[in-house]
Amino acid sequence: MDIKQKLIAAIGQAADKAIAENVFSADQLPEIALEVPPQKEFGDYATNFAMQSAKRAKMNPRMIAQAIIDRINEPWLEKAVIAGPGFINFYLKADVLYQELAVILAAGDTFGQSNAGQGERVQVEFVSANPTGPLHVGHGRGAAFGSALVNLLRAAGYNVEAEYYINDAGNQIDNLAASVNARYLELLGKTVEFPEDGYHGRDIIDTAKRIIDRHGDKYMNLPEAERLATFKELALKEKLAALKEDLEHFGVTFDVWFSERTLHNNGAVRATCELLQGNGNIYDKDGALWLKSTAYGDDKDRVVIRDNGVPTYLAADIAYHRNKFERGFDRVINIWGADHHGYISRVKAAIAAMGYQPDHLEVLILQMVSLYQNGELVKMSKRTGQGVTLNELIEEVGRDAARFFFIMRSIDSQLDFDLDLAKSSSNDNPVYYIQYAHARICSILRQVEEAGLDVANKLAGFRRLEVLTEQIEVDLIKKMAMFPEEIASAARERAPHRIARYAHELAGMFHTFYNQCRIMGVDPELQVARLALVTAVRTTIRQALSVLGVAAPDKM
């Protein structure tokens, strides 16, 4: 447990004691939040817990604060002081922070990891784009966010499975086959009418060309239904392989690729509808089967089996979510685009109708991405005249910048992606700024090694960290000591952008340290202590970037 968590626990225990001793009463106390005061004289940590509790306890906040202070007796706490209307400022004993630095050095690449999630089984389903063409920029935001969320949850002690739901059944795949078929016939000299709902991308023409390159006009004289069935399988296999390759190129992998087709082929869709009919949550009207979703908070009932006997998309989605919960996940997280916002209530209604807890499904909605270059909105690819693909973006700005820029803002806000900034090698580019801090520390350590000092050996037995007395040194230790709680809190909030912000703040503090504090040519003990400090900073930056799926380069 890090010092911040120890302090939170101590405050909570003190409040419980005060309530047990009838100093004040409250049915439910607020969550205890700590912050680092902006000025050293206000202590190492501060809380407004007493002020937040005052209304519920019906007591003056300064009196609550005093009751808490009187009941905290920890060996690592120097003092606690009431400030203003009821803030409590905590002052730690000097050696506590140095112990925190030693903990970071000992933890190495496990620093930041915790058991906050207590092994809760969580499935995160993300991207799940139709395998009908290349991924675009909007998919990229979902891919970067989803994979970072998976990393974050794992670091916080959740048992996480990443899943891609392959929409390989239904009209979109039929339209893919029809589009390839039309381009195939066109390339072989036939005049055909392109399907009204067909896909017009250049990649469809390329798929048709590859079929001709491999098989010539072999399929020309097949009955159209047979040719369409063949092209459906060929195109789906190709598009799915390309999609997987593009995601891996972006640093995104999945534990499970789940096929929608399997739900139809193994009877899961029909079985799920029969289950809902059996418990009275599906009824027949005008020859179609309707889900009683209004009984569970939806604004209207929904068709699950059409009057022609064909299941709707919703029917497959209900069967899919039933399958998720049958696999034993404690919590299911879906990451959807903004256009799916209205779909949430009907899926949650279906989950409730099946007897599962609807709040065990979390749906995170991604807002839109807008690309800007030279101050102007970029809508179309220069290469194809269509939407910008994820691969084109990576080619333009690089994988690390693309991932960081997608993650650095909360997903519930629209993202304006500045291509020029993402490509720049300047301190204004946040990912460059952070990576440069890591590379600069690696350079320092190389220089010291080249000067004849075995850093690892020196740090192994070094205990004189208390010589780090400059304010920026103390601030760096405090900031790093907060990292495990930052990971745990960001995981609870499903907020990888908090780690991006943390890494940027830590890098800024390191750059300030670098400009203020020498490492070479100072007292030997101070030199080793500062090497310990920058080694810990390097570890923390690397761990933060690892969560984001961004590289931590040794040289730049």
Side-chain angles (χ1 to χ4, degrees):
M1 186 184 294
D2 62 69
I3 193 63
K4 187 176 179 182
Q5 284 302 301
K6 288 180 181 177
L7 183 52
I8 288 172
I11 295 168
Q13 290 164 8
D16 290 341
K17 284 182 184 178
I19 291 171
E21 295 167 12
N22 295 317
V23 177
F24 61 86
S25 62
D27 293 334
Q28 186 177 5
L29 291 173
E31 185 177 350
I32 301 167
L34 292 178
E35 61 180 24
V36 177
Q39 294 171 274
K40 172 65 177 174
E41 57 264 31
F42 297 138
D44 296 295
Y45 292 102
T47 183
N48 65 352
F49 175 74
M51 297 160 64
Q52 294 287 316
S53 305
K55 187 174 181 179
R56 299 176 189 182
K58 297 178 182 179
M59 190 175 185
N60 184 294
R62 287 183 64 91
M63 295 178 68
I64 295 174
Q66 189 62 57
I68 289 170
I69 289 173
D70 290 344
R71 287 161 180 79
I72 294 180
N73 183 23
E74 299 290 349
W76 38 263
L77 185 64
E78 184 69 40
K79 63 180 179 178
V81 177
I82 302 172
F87 289 101
I88 309 176
N89 294 337
F90 297 96
Y91 298 77
L92 305 179
K93 289 184 177 177
D95 61 343
V96 172
L97 283 174
Y98 303 119
Q99 291 170 15
E100 289 290 312
L101 179 54
V103 166
I104 298 168
L105 292 169
D109 286 342
T110 65
F111 179 58
Q113 296 176 13
S114 72
N115 191 36
Q118 298 183 330
E120 181 181 27
R121 282 201 70 203
V122 179
Q123 185 215 53
V124 182
E125 183 224 320
F126 59 106
V127 185
S128 297
N130 293 339
T132 54
L135 296 172
H136 289 266
V137 169
H139 300 132
R141 187 179 195 186
F145 172 83
S147 59
L149 179 61
V150 168
N151 294 340
L152 177 60
L153 290 169
R154 285 175 176 159
Y158 296 81
N159 181 5
V160 187
E161 202 166 274
E163 182 153 309
Y164 191 110
Y165 182 54
I166 308 167
N167 293 277
D168 53 4
N171 290 338
Q172 73 275 4
I173 300 301
D174 292 337
N175 291 335
L176 172 64
S179 303
V180 172
N181 179 59
R183 295 307 187 198
Y184 173 83
L185 295 174
E186 284 176 355
L187 289 169
L188 291 175
K190 295 285 186 179
T191 301
V192 294
E193 184 176 344
F194 197 80
E196 183 179 350
D197 296 323
Y199 297 105
H200 293 265
R202 173 73 204 182
D203 64 293
I204 299 296
I205 298 173
D206 292 338
T207 297
K209 281 184 175 178
R210 280 188 284 271
I211 291 173
I212 293 171
D213 289 343
R214 292 172 193 151
H215 306 289
D217 62 358
K218 172 182 175 181
Y219 303 113
M220 173 76 82
N221 297 319
L222 284 179
E224 183 162 294
E226 192 175 334
R227 188 168 62 246
L228 285 169
T230 300
F231 287 173
K232 180 189 289 190
E233 298 310 312
L234 290 174
L236 179 61
K237 183 178 179 181
E238 179 186 281
K239 298 303 178 192
L240 193 56
L243 193 150
K244 289 181 178 181
E245 184 179 339
D246 290 351
L247 286 167
E248 287 180 7
H249 180 50
F250 196 43
V252 179
T253 57
F254 292 88
D255 302 302
V256 175
W257 291 78
F258 191 101
S259 165
E260 179 188 353
R261 282 185 180 183
T262 62
L263 297 169
H264 295 277
N265 295 342
N266 65 15
V269 174
R270 293 288 178 182
T272 301
C273 290
E274 288 169 5
L275 168 72
L276 291 167
Q277 277 184 297
N279 66 18
N281 283 303
I282 278 182
Y283 62 92
D284 191 320
K285 177 184 175 184
D286 299 328
L289 296 183
W290 294 69
L291 176 70
K292 289 183 180 177
S293 47
T294 50
Y296 301 95
D298 197 7
D299 60 345
K300 62 182 180 180
D301 290 346
R302 308 287 176 175
V303 175
V304 288
I305 304 291
R306 300 179 182 92
D307 56 9
N308 61 2
V310 176
T312 63
Y313 287 119
L314 179 59
D317 282 339
I318 297 171
Y320 178 43
H321 284 81
R322 181 189 179 199
N323 177 280
K324 291 186 182 195
F325 287 112
E326 285 182 338
R327 281 185 267 162
F329 294 110
D330 301 309
R331 188 164 303 278
V332 168
I333 299 174
N334 294 346
I335 301 171
W336 290 348
D339 57 335
H340 283 70
H341 191 277
Y343 203 66
I344 299 173
S345 59
R346 68 193 71 170
V347 174
K348 281 185 171 281
I351 288 170
M354 289 187 290
Y356 298 110
Q357 292 295 324
D359 59 354
H360 288 181
L361 166 67
E362 295 179 27
V363 180
L364 308 179
I365 294 294
L366 291 156
Q367 295 301 322
M368 302 293 289
V369 179
S370 297
L371 298 179
Y372 286 86
Q373 192 162 43
N374 300 321
E376 295 183 357
L377 182 64
V378 178
K379 290 186 177 180
M380 298 297 177
S381 163
K382 295 175 183 176
R383 187 181 308 166
T384 65
Q386 297 177 330
V388 179
T389 67
L390 177 58
N391 274 343
E392 287 175 313
L393 178 68
I394 296 171
E395 288 174 16
E396 183 78 9
V397 304
R399 183 173 103 175
D400 288 339
R403 286 188 63 98
F404 191 92
F405 272 62
F406 279 138
I407 298 167
M408 70 179 182
R409 298 278 183 266
S410 172
I411 60 166
D412 57 12
S413 61
Q414 181 164 323
L415 175 64
D416 292 338
F417 193 119
D418 187 332
L419 294 168
D420 299 309
L421 179 61
K423 289 190 294 184
S424 69
S425 298
S426 73
N427 289 342
D428 293 329
N429 180 350
V431 67
Y432 175 85
Y433 188 67
I434 298 165
Q435 289 181 318
Y436 186 59
H438 185 271
R440 176 174 263 178
I441 294 170
C442 293
S443 175
I444 291 169
L445 296 174
R446 282 195 300 271
Q447 290 175 41
V448 172
E449 293 276 2
E450 289 166 2
L453 182 66
D454 185 340
V455 176
N457 187 51
K458 282 287 185 182
L459 295 184
F462 189 74
R463 295 292 181 270
R464 294 270 296 149
L465 296 170
E466 64 271 17
V467 296
L468 299 170
T469 57
E470 294 292 332
Q471 187 60 51
I472 186 60
E473 295 171 328
V474 173
D475 290 344
L476 270 171
I477 299 171
K478 284 184 186 177
K479 187 69 175 177
M480 289 187 288
M482 294 171 65
F483 183 58
E485 174 57 24
E486 192 69 27
I487 289 284
S489 296
R492 284 192 298 269
E493 296 175 16
R494 319 304 192 219
H497 69 276
R498 284 185 51 165
I499 306 305
R501 181 178 63 205
Y502 174 92
H504 191 254
E505 291 171 353
L506 180 61
M509 294 173 71
F510 165 74
H511 289 305
T512 299
F513 162 83
Y514 181 82
N515 292 327
Q516 292 181 3
C517 301
R518 295 174 59 191
I519 294 178
M520 305 291 283
V522 296
D523 176 81
E525 283 197 337
L526 179 59
Q527 180 187 52
V528 178
R530 285 180 172 168
L531 288 172
L533 180 64
V534 299
T535 298
V537 174
R538 180 181 66 169
T539 294
T540 309
I541 289 176
R542 185 171 63 240
Q543 292 301 96
L545 290 178
S546 176
V547 166
L548 304 178
V550 174
D554 293 347
K555 297 179 180 179
M556 288 180 71

